[in-house]
Amino acid sequence: MAAESAGLGLGQAVALLAAGVVAVPLFRKAGLGSVLGYLAAGLAIGPFGIGVVDDPVAILHVAELGVVLFLFLIGLEMRPSRLWAMRGAIFGLGVVQVLTCGALLSGVALLGGLPPAAAVIGAMGFVLSSTAVIMQMLEERGEIATPGGQRAVAVLLLEDLAIVPLLALVAVLASLAGTATGEQRPAWLAIGLGLGSIALLVAAGRWLLNPMFRILAQSGAREVMTAAALLVVLGAALFLQWGGLSMAMGAFLAGVLLSESTFRHQLEADVEPFRGILLGLFFLSVGMSLDLAVVAAEWRPVAAGVIAFMLVKAIGIYGVARLFGADHREAWKRAALFAQGGEFAFVLYTAALTAGIFDARTGAAMAAIVILSMALTPLLAMAAERMLPPPEAESLDGVEAPVNLAGRVLIIGFGRFAQLVSQPLLLRGCDVSLIDPDVEMIQAAGQFGFKVYYGDGTRLDVLRASGAETAEAILVCVDKPEVTDRIVALCKSEFPLAKLYVRAFDRGHVLRLVQAGVDYQIRETLESALVFSRATLVGLGVEESEADELVADVRRRDEQRLEEQIVGGITAGRSFIRGNMETPQPTPLARPSREARPLSVETADLLDRAAAREGA
């Protein structure tokens, strides 16, 4: 019993699970989203509700791991090349949004009567939006992979990075105000530790993680792989926390570093169940942390703070979004999503309280403002969505959406690759259903006698309407690897009986598809390149039979190399590649005084054959 009173008892755990199981389906059915359901459930059973749980802070520290695991899974989708392509949005849009909103909110806080140092820290803490709330809502709407969703992710990444200079700013302001406790790191040290920890994590991810997982995979211990996945995520999060950064940033970087690993899908499958449970627990604990006593005692400044901060921040976000080229719809939706504080505000406010910039009253009031803004965000996002006019639909003249299709073969994507793929199937009389999201391509295909339906293959409802449940074979022929990966994962999960034939982009993509368990994959340029090479050989005077043998040998080498790479990673199997550099022949440092003599008849025969080849 003592153990239960000191921490989370079995009865409390059951109450947490029951609250989530009851509240979330009800709120989702009402169209309010799962986040608001978790927050309401947490408030109901927390110390300011019926009091089942009396220490929400302890649960919050554990539940933060849900955010960590969530960011790791997002990182797995962000390959380094893709992240590099987002650098303009991260350090352009993200920086301008943080600085603009920080300046506007600092002015609001000053008008509210806070001292200058407290006003700046209070404002900058509110600028750091809730990664957990925003990412969960984007995921529920299926918008993470959209251009607008990617820009939202870029801003969130910059806000995670901003925690380092902001913590350093707390130390500077505390020194200037004469309230420093002596425990604050100097600004230069905080920034140096943050950058150094990122560099060390990148180095470890580049040279240590893949070899470690390869060794563990060869051991065949399934549970050890799961433990290793959690070790990498939590270890990276803890290491960056030691460096003064957020745990979420460490987990995200670990995911990015493993995004091109052959073990990527295995890691995703291992981490996903923990992520869902812990992320729900995080929202429950945030709801439990809302101090209703503070809200009741300070309801006027708290209510005014919530309204003023959310309104001014939304205005700043909308203006920055339009400045960077977003249309009205995207800017409006982003303003509604980001017009809140987040979990990193608690970190900053705790540091401000320790440094003497905040007093206890100010810290409690600011924390209440942040929590209330997080709770209001789902409602605000719903209101913004309803206030917007429906998006201008693309002209669908001559285009139909799939409804109750039942073809034996479903082809997703009907570009130049799929058009050729379909020909032998149609000649054989196979019942083929075709879907593609490009209206212009569909209209052009109709002029050549193809009935192509309008549909996005990454959506489950579209796949069901297209007949994926009854199709014997699903051919994924889209030209973007990341889209292909999402369709494959969806089909493997929802339509396991259908055979999956997939167009691959390159060798790395092939390895991911093999790990995902597709029935057949082929690189889009493999066969055309081999045919091209054969024609070149014949044009150079090589006999056709010899050219066929050479191409067959290349095909065999390619298959063997792929087998090596499945086990050893993308850099394995180099011995099967024929390079164009001359291979140096080793020569002895000193010539032997006597000629070598064979010691057996078999050795003599081998030497004679070698001499004959050299003479030829």
Side-chain angles (χ1 to χ4, degrees), residues 180-457:
T181 61
E183 299 176 0
Q184 304 292 326
R185 291 173 177 169
W188 64 268
L189 180 59
I191 295 174
L193 285 174
L195 295 176
S197 61
I198 290 176
L200 288 175
L201 182 60
V202 169
R206 188 180 181 102
W207 290 296
L208 295 180
L209 292 185
N210 267 318
M212 181 188 77
F213 281 111
R214 194 173 303 123
I215 293 171
L216 294 176
Q218 291 170 349
S219 72
R222 180 72 178 79
E223 70 282 358
V224 174
M225 285 290 289
T226 302
L230 292 174
L231 173 64
V232 167
V233 180
L234 302 182
L238 180 62
F239 184 71
L240 253 65
Q241 187 184 44
W242 286 343
L245 283 162
S246 69
M247 292 192 297
M249 177 57 65
F252 176 81
L253 285 177
V256 171
L257 294 170
L258 287 168
S259 62
E260 294 183 331
S261 167
T262 56
F263 305 99
R264 170 178 172 269
H265 294 286
Q266 182 66 52
L267 292 169
E268 188 172 3
D270 288 339
V271 169
E272 177 65 31
F274 299 97
R275 187 275 297 185
I277 294 174
L278 289 173
L279 193 60
L281 186 60
F282 171 80
F283 292 125
L284 282 169
S285 59
V286 170
M288 288 185 285
S289 300
L290 180 59
D291 192 336
L292 295 181
V294 171
V295 174
E298 306 281 347
W299 70 270
R300 286 187 178 87
V302 168
V306 171
I307 295 171
F309 271 32
M310 294 187 74
L311 178 61
V312 172
K313 186 179 179 185
I315 293 172
I317 292 169
Y318 180 87
V320 171
R322 295 306 300 268
L323 181 66
F324 277 77
D327 59 23
H328 171 70
R329 186 178 187 83
E330 181 184 339
W332 184 262
K333 291 172 69 175
R334 193 186 306 164
L337 274 179
F338 279 80
Q340 39 138 333
E343 53 273 9
F344 296 129
F346 304 138
V347 177
L348 196 64
Y349 293 167
T350 301
L353 194 62
T354 303
I357 294 176
F358 278 3
D359 56 29
R361 175 179 173 274
T362 302
M366 288 303 303
I369 289 172
V370 169
I371 293 172
L372 286 171
S373 71
M374 292 171 68
L376 290 173
T377 296
L379 296 174
L380 184 62
M382 288 175 53
E385 188 72 34
R386 291 180 180 178
M387 290 173 63
L388 285 171
E392 295 183 6
E394 194 172 8
S395 175
L396 298 179
D397 293 339
V399 175
E400 296 180 31
V403 179
N404 298 325
L405 302 185
R408 185 179 181 187
V409 177
L410 171 62
I411 298 181
I412 303 172
F414 198 63
R416 52 192 174 83
F417 183 89
Q419 290 164 20
L420 289 172
V421 168
S422 68
Q423 290 303 289
L425 298 172
L426 294 172
L427 285 173
R428 182 63 177 79
C430 295
D431 188 5
V432 178
S433 299
L434 307 169
I435 64 171
D436 194 281
D438 188 338
V439 173
E440 292 184 3
M441 195 287 307
I442 294 174
Q443 293 169 337
Q447 299 175 6
F448 293 89
F450 290 100
K451 182 63 174 179
V452 184
Y453 293 87
Y454 177 80
D456 180 359

Side-chain angles (χ1 to χ4, degrees), residues 96-106 123-124 127 312-313 316-317:
V96 173
Q97 178 171 312
V98 167
L99 294 180
T100 300
C101 293
L104 292 174
L105 293 179
S106 295
M124 296 309 297
V127 165
V312 172
K313 186 179 179 185
I317 292 169

Side-chain angles (χ1 to χ4, degrees), residues 62-100:
V62 176
E64 284 176 346
L65 298 180
V67 183
V68 168
L69 296 178
F70 196 15
L71 266 293
F72 174 74
L73 294 176
I74 297 300
L76 283 178
E77 300 294 333
M78 291 281 184
R79 297 182 182 89
S81 57
R82 189 174 173 188
L83 194 61
W84 177 251
M86 293 172 60
R87 66 191 184 278
I90 295 173
F91 295 104
L93 172 63
V95 168
V96 173
Q97 178 171 312
V98 167
L99 294 180
T100 300

